[in-house]
Amino acid sequence: MNVLLALIPISLFLGLLGLLAFIWSVRSHQYDDLEGESHRILDKRFDDSPPE
């Protein structure tokens, strides 16, 4: 029973930490352009590999 007194606050803290990380990622616009990167990777203008 004593272990629950330690595990419950730890789990609440980790859950709150995950929630704060998610809120930070939304506010810093991490999820705005979901399809742009997939189109840019196929475009030759953004290809920085050495010429053949």
Side-chain angles (χ1 to χ4, degrees), residues 2-51:
N2 288 335
V3 73
L4 289 178
L5 294 176
L7 289 179
I8 290 174
I10 290 172
S11 66
L12 289 175
F13 172 74
L14 289 176
L16 181 63
L17 189 66
L19 180 65
L20 290 175
F22 174 72
I23 290 172
W24 170 80
S25 68
V26 169
R27 287 189 181 196
S28 65
H29 307 288
Q30 296 290 320
Y31 302 108
D32 283 351
D33 188 14
L34 296 178
E35 292 187 18
E37 290 295 325
S38 63
H39 293 295
R40 273 188 288 260
I41 198 169
L42 299 174
D43 196 352
K44 292 289 186 189
R45 291 180 292 165
F46 300 105
D47 189 16
D48 56 349
S49 63

